[in-house]
Amino acid sequence: MMTEDFKSGFVAIVGRPNVGKSTLLNKILGQKIAITSNKPQTTRNRILGIHNFEGGQALFVDTPGIHKPKGKLNRYMVDQAVGACNDVDLVLFLVEANDKPGGGDEFILKLLEKTATPVCLVINKIDMVEPTSLLALIDEYSQRFDFKEVVPICAENGDGVPQLLDALEPYLPVGPQYYPEDQLTDQPERFIVAEMVREKVMRRMSEEIPYGVAVRVETFEEKPEKNLVVIQATIHVERDSHKKIIVGKAGRMIKTLGKEARMEIERFLGTKVFLELFVRVDKDWSQSERMLRELGYE
């Protein structure tokens, strides 16, 4: 029930690639909506996660890792992340406790200096360092930027996450309830399903293949009388050789990817799933503005 002092606002999670932004979002929501892998640049789109608390609603924007872009897809990803900083009420700058500030962090801090949005420093992976090292890192970052809050956390196990949520509440303005309490994200189920398939490719494939992969859901047919959803999805790759690797000998790899993705999609949808995967070669799709639009990178 909304009150006159109901608080709501947008919070962007930014940082270098692979520092745990999506892991943090999933932990805050208590359910996986953002894919994760140990490879940088896994997240490509802005993903909104909706967190409800007593008297308010915080809307978290998980952004792609900020890096120096080398192509059209990478430029799109960085634009998504940088643009988010200007459209929110608070920015969470996520860094790793076991890594000193580097060129990538300095680049992000310079971008943050250009915005009037309050910034909170969130130091992730505190389970990997000693307290003395953590204090030294906090001091080092505090000399570089005027952070409104500094919160150490471990996104993987949730340590410090409740304290982080408490710390950000004062920065949320009085506002409306944007989404129903039972809604977790603004992304459609088809988007989440496509991302879950892409995650399995990211985790299974090595070298350059994951970065040349996109997934599009072609059909999403619900059959409530059978407690079943029938899904057909296409994995787009840039090379014939990549297609051969993803399909695998006698189709073994594509079957493995399909099984792993289906199990996760079933947990997400709460129903049985029949998943059929196809692989299509679109040469250099990541450099094609037409293909980027078709695959949802606009």
Side-chain angles (χ1 to χ4, degrees):
M1 181 177 177
M2 283 186 58
T3 60
E4 290 185 359
D5 57 352
F6 189 88
K7 303 183 77 174
S8 61
F10 292 81
V11 182
I13 307 173
V14 305
R16 290 184 291 106
N18 220 34
V19 293
K21 297 181 294 295
S22 297
T23 301
L24 174 58
L25 178 64
N26 292 335
K27 182 60 68 173
I28 289 171
L29 301 182
Q31 184 172 332
K32 182 174 180 178
I33 65 164
I35 67 171
T36 61
S37 83
N38 60 1
K39 297 179 176 65
Q41 302 164 30
T42 298
T43 300
R44 291 177 178 171
N45 301 74
R46 277 195 263 183
I47 299 175
L48 185 74
I50 303 158
H51 169 69
N52 295 288
F53 57 91
E54 187 175 350
Q57 186 175 76
L59 308 169
F60 290 89
V61 185
D62 181 24
T63 64
I66 298 177
H67 58 284
K68 290 186 178 180
K70 295 182 180 180
K72 286 184 171 63
L73 176 60
N74 293 74
R75 169 54 61 188
Y76 164 83
M77 291 160 61
V78 172
D79 287 347
Q80 288 279 295
V82 174
C85 296
N86 299 312
D87 302 330
V88 297
D89 301 289
L90 179 68
V91 173
L92 304 183
F93 176 37
L94 194 64
V95 301
E96 293 180 307
N98 58 340
D99 196 6
K100 289 188 175 182
D105 298 300
E106 296 288 356
F107 177 68
I108 297 171
L109 288 172
K110 287 180 181 178
L111 292 174
L112 294 176
E113 286 174 355
K114 299 176 183 178
T115 178
T117 307
V119 180
C120 173
L121 176 66
V122 182
I123 304 178
N124 191 22
K125 304 181 183 180
I126 57 172
D127 56 319
M128 302 182 70
V129 299
E130 295 295 329
T132 51
S133 299
L134 181 60
L135 290 172
L137 187 66
I138 290 173
D139 183 60
E140 197 167 353
Y141 270 107
S142 298
Q143 292 180 27
R144 285 170 160 80
F145 193 90
D146 182 22
F147 296 104
K148 299 299 182 183
E149 307 282 347
V150 178
V151 185
I153 68 163
C154 177
E156 190 70 40
N157 63 28
D159 284 351
V161 173
Q163 289 80 1
L164 172 62
L165 295 173
D166 289 341
L168 63 83
E169 281 186 30
Y171 298 94
L172 301 180
V174 173
Q177 180 175 330
Y178 289 96
Y179 296 93
E181 285 190 10
D182 60 350
Q183 187 170 342
L184 279 178
T185 180
D186 65 338
Q187 292 288 0
E189 290 177 337
R190 293 172 73 112
F191 172 85
I192 304 293
V193 166
E195 286 287 270
M196 287 179 169
V197 173
R198 186 168 67 87
E199 179 190 62
K200 303 313 170 191
V201 179
M202 293 286 292
R203 293 188 172 207
R204 284 276 178 180
M205 300 295 116
S206 60
E207 299 177 354
E208 83 278 8
I209 294 177
Y211 305 105
V213 165
V215 178
R216 177 164 52 185
V217 172
E218 310 291 353
T219 62
F220 188 100
E221 184 182 359
E222 297 183 53
K223 297 187 176 184
E225 71 281 359
K226 297 182 179 180
N227 189 33
L228 177 70
V229 176
V230 177
I231 300 170
Q232 292 181 320
T234 300
I235 301 172
H236 296 261
V237 297
E238 297 189 305
R239 303 282 185 272
D240 288 319
S241 58
H242 294 177
K243 178 178 179 179
K244 291 179 181 178
I245 294 171
I246 289 175
V247 172
K249 188 175 181 180
R252 292 194 190 97
M253 179 55 71
I254 194 74
K255 288 178 183 176
T256 298
L257 294 170
K259 180 180 178 181
E260 292 176 349
R262 176 183 57 77
M263 293 172 65
E264 186 144 47
I265 294 167
E266 286 181 338
R267 286 194 293 270
F268 171 66
L269 297 177
T271 185
K272 293 180 181 178
V273 169
F274 176 79
L275 175 64
E276 192 172 11
L277 297 180
F278 305 92
V279 185
R280 171 177 152 180
V281 179
D282 289 295
K283 186 172 174 57
D284 297 325
W285 67 261
S286 65
Q287 302 304 317
S288 165
E289 291 186 6
R290 178 185 63 82
M291 282 301 300
L292 287 171
R293 284 195 302 272
E294 288 185 11
L295 293 170
Y297 303 119
E298 297 186 83

